[in-house]
Amino acid sequence: MLQLLRQPWPWYTSGATIAFIMLLLIYFGKSFGVSSNLRTICTIAGAGKKVEFFNFDWKTQKWNLLFLFGAVLGGLIASTLLKSDQPLQISAATITDLQKLGIVFDGNLNPSQIFGWDFITSPKGLIVLLGGGILVGFGARYAGGCTSGHAISGLSNLQVPSLIAVIGFFAGGLVMTYFLLPLIF
Amino acid sequence: MKGLKFILAGLLFGVVMAKSEAISWYRIQEMFRFQSFHMYGIIGTAVILGIILVYLIKKFKIRDFHGNPIIFQDKDTSWPRYIIGGSIFGLGWALTGACPGPMFVNIGYGYWSMILVILGSLIGTYLYGLIKNKLPH
């Protein structure tokens, strides 16, 4: 059993589990959306004193912070107890495309060239990771949700605004992938 | 321990995101280059099942475990915030290979450098709160 769980999980298991998690949270009287935690953390850090947007009772969001804490634990379990001993398998076309950008496929989940110590301690690495994070955080709050809140919860409830947001996610993603990544790397 | 169920739900989320490689920068690149079905399969399965589940909850007026009616909030109808905010999000998603959930799962997985991305996303969230009223929604 453990041996089976250690192998990479197929997309349909993952998709079904994500739908189940959304259902669980709905049943608990909540909703599935991760990025609102970022606002909550800003509030806990004291942002509500200066900016009205953060002035709310963060304790109403405690459940979501616990969910986030669980997600970190889940990552830890996946990298220890359930760690796969095989390298990541991705499309050969992607490997070739990334090679043209100078990014080598190393078989890990994330390229050491971007997340490794050498890069993150360089000025460029700092700008890429911090800057990328700023775009994600700003965009998620501006759009009122991220992949979980819009693409999963919103689309499941047939919300047109969520569809527009998901189209935006892809528009931005494609511009970054095809136009900006070649300039950055 | 009223909070335990949320930790367990999050734990399941973290395990499944990591084990299905949805937290992988490479997988996100593969998705944006349309070179694999994998990520589309994950999101597609979740959405199709999600639509069915939400439909059934509404049809049979299923209540939550407190016994309260389950209410689905409709999102505000507008264009600019979703398309502009969404596009900004997408730029960051493709660059860092991580949306907010996977950032944290990656920390648990041992990718400590993701702390920088999380720090950035907190700064981004704060900046939005700061200039919110000046932006078109």
Side-chain angles (χ1 to χ4, degrees):
Chain A
M1 182 67 185
L2 202 58
Q3 217 49 44
L4 182 73
L5 288 176
R6 274 186 185 147
Q7 286 165 23
W9 295 10
W11 54 264
Y12 43 87
T13 319
S14 179
T17 310
I18 293 167
F20 173 70
I21 291 165
M22 182 188 76
L23 178 70
L24 265 183
L25 293 178
I26 290 172
Y27 181 66
F28 293 155
K30 312 292 180 193
S31 63
F32 180 42
V34 177
S35 68
S36 48
N37 283 308
L38 298 170
R39 180 188 177 205
T40 310
I41 296 170
C42 286
T43 298
I44 293 174
K49 289 190 199 99
K50 282 192 176 154
V51 184
E52 185 54 33
F53 180 65
F54 300 103
N55 187 12
F56 76 106
D57 180 14
W58 67 267
K59 290 200 176 73
T60 58
Q61 284 289 309
K62 211 171 109 184
W63 69 270
N64 212 348
L65 291 175
L66 291 172
F67 180 85
L68 199 63
F69 174 66
V72 175
L73 289 183
L76 179 66
I77 291 172
S79 70
T80 49
L81 186 65
L82 298 179
K83 187 162 173 62
S84 165
D85 46 15
Q86 295 151 24
L88 180 71
Q89 304 271 340
I90 61 164
S91 144
T94 309
I95 297 177
T96 313
D97 282 359
L98 291 176
Q99 213 143 36
K100 285 179 200 148
L101 294 179
I103 298 169
V104 181
F105 176 66
D106 56 15
N108 294 315
L109 280 180
N110 296 306
S112 53
Q113 255 174 294
I114 299 177
F115 296 94
W117 190 251
D118 287 346
F119 188 67
I120 68 161
T121 50
S122 70
K124 184 176 162 181
L126 202 65
I127 291 168
V128 165
L129 295 186
L130 262 183
I134 290 174
L135 292 169
V136 170
F138 186 90
R141 217 59 282 121
Y142 193 176
C146 61
T147 331
S148 49
H150 277 309
I152 309 291
S153 296
L155 291 186
S156 292
N157 191 25
L158 305 173
Q159 295 292 301
V160 176
S162 293
L163 183 63
I164 301 171
V166 173
I167 291 169
F169 296 168
F170 267 83
L174 294 177
V175 168
M176 178 55 71
T177 301
Y178 290 100
F179 300 108
L180 301 178
L181 282 187
L183 300 175
I184 297 170
F185 293 106
Chain B
M1 275 303 283
K2 278 200 305 196
L4 187 64
K5 58 181 181 295
F6 295 112
I7 297 180
L8 291 176
L11 194 146
L12 182 62
F13 175 71
V15 168
V16 78
M17 292 299 278
K19 288 309 296 177
S20 64
E21 298 155 356
I23 64 166
S24 163
W25 187 91
Y26 292 115
R27 283 290 192 193
I28 302 303
Q29 272 299 302
E30 207 183 39
M31 172 182 81
F32 281 128
R33 291 170 191 276
F34 304 101
Q35 287 161 339
S36 165
F37 179 70
H38 187 78
M39 288 304 302
Y40 295 98
I42 293 177
I43 300 171
T45 310
V47 171
I48 289 166
L49 289 174
I51 289 172
I52 297 169
L53 291 169
V54 171
Y55 172 80
L56 292 174
I57 290 171
K58 285 180 177 173
K59 186 172 166 67
F60 294 105
K61 298 192 171 58
I62 293 171
R63 288 171 177 266
D64 68 18
F65 90 131
H66 297 293
N68 298 322
I70 293 171
I71 298 156
F72 291 96
Q73 295 279 350
D74 281 342
K75 310 262 183 203
D76 303 334
T77 321
S78 81
W79 269 89
R81 71 174 299 182
Y82 300 110
I83 197 74
I84 304 170
S87 301
I88 295 171
F89 176 89
L91 289 171
W93 188 15
L95 180 58
T96 63
C99 40
M103 284 177 196
F104 287 88
V105 180
N106 263 307
I107 295 285
Y109 201 91
Y111 284 101
W112 292 101
S113 40
M114 252 337 147
I115 289 196
L116 278 176
V117 183
I118 292 175
L119 191 64
S121 70
L122 290 170
I123 296 171
T125 304
Y126 183 73
L127 287 176
Y128 170 75
L130 209 58
I131 61 168
K132 181 176 177 282
N133 298 330
K134 298 191 180 99
L135 297 170
H137 283 75

